[in-house]
Amino acid sequence: MRLTRFTDVALRVLMRLTVTKDGEDPPTTREVAASMQVPYTHAAKVVARLQHLGLIDARRGRGGGLTLTAAGHSASVGALVRELEGPGEVVECEGSTPCPLRSACRLRAALRQAEEAFYASLDPLTVGDLASSPTGPLLIAISSGRPAPG
C-alpha cells in the first residue's frame, strides 16, 4: 500500500507542530512548508484540511500561526490515515475494463484484509508518539535551522 503525498505531508505537518513549545511563536504555514521541504501551496491545502478536521488551529495576521489542538496531539495515526486516504479499494476490479476474475477472486479479499492490518498497526500510535525521540529533537533542529543532532 502506498500513501498519497497529501497524507504524507499532513503527517509531517502535524509532527512539526507537535514540537512547538508553549510560549514560542507558532510557525506559519510558509515556515512549516519550508522546514518540511514541501511546496507552500500543497502545505496550505493540507493545513486547511487539518483545520477542518479540528486537529490544528490556524490564525492569520500578526500573532498568527499554526498550533496543534489537543485532539490533534492525541489523534490516532491509523484513524487519521484512513480519513485522509478516503475509501477505496487497493485494486480496481470494476473499472472501465472489469477484471474477468472478479466473481471468484480471492485476491481482493486478501488485499482488503492486508490493508486493514496496516491501519490496525497504526491505530495505537498518536501524533504525539510520532514526534517522540529521536524524531522530536530532529524536528526541533530542522525547524530552527540548526544542524540536525548526529
Side-chain angles (χ1 to χ4, degrees):
M1 182 173 172
R2 185 177 178 98
L3 298 180
T4 61
R5 179 91 168 127
F6 189 90
T7 299
D8 172 46
V9 171
L11 291 170
R12 288 195 274 160
V13 166
L14 290 169
M15 290 167 61
R16 166 55 187 93
L17 295 178
T18 300
V19 298
T20 303
K21 304 282 186 226
D22 288 337
E24 200 175 271
D25 286 338
T28 65
T29 302
R30 194 167 300 283
E31 291 167 344
V32 170
S35 67
M36 294 293 101
Q37 299 180 352
V38 297
Y40 168 75
T41 54
H42 199 63
K45 291 174 188 173
V46 165
V47 164
R49 180 76 189 279
L50 294 174
Q51 185 178 17
H52 177 76
L53 293 172
L55 302 175
I56 64 172
D57 284 326
R59 292 191 209 135
R60 293 179 156 209
R62 189 176 193 88
L66 306 174
T67 55
L68 193 65
T69 65
H73 193 273
S74 63
S76 161
V77 174
L80 180 58
V81 171
R82 278 184 190 90
E83 176 69 29
L84 295 174
E85 289 294 309
E89 295 290 331
V90 176
V91 293
E92 180 64 44
C93 300
E94 303 294 334
S96 60
T97 309
C99 176
L101 303 174
R102 71 186 178 281
S103 65
C105 182
R106 297 181 65 189
L107 178 61
R108 182 165 44 176
L111 290 173
R112 195 175 293 135
Q113 186 177 13
E115 179 182 36
E116 187 48 43
F118 170 78
Y119 287 132
S121 70
L122 294 175
D123 283 339
L125 288 173
T126 66
V127 171
D129 294 334
L130 295 178
S132 62
S133 191
T135 308
L138 180 59
L139 285 163
I140 292 167
I142 289 169
S143 301
S144 67
R146 295 188 306 240

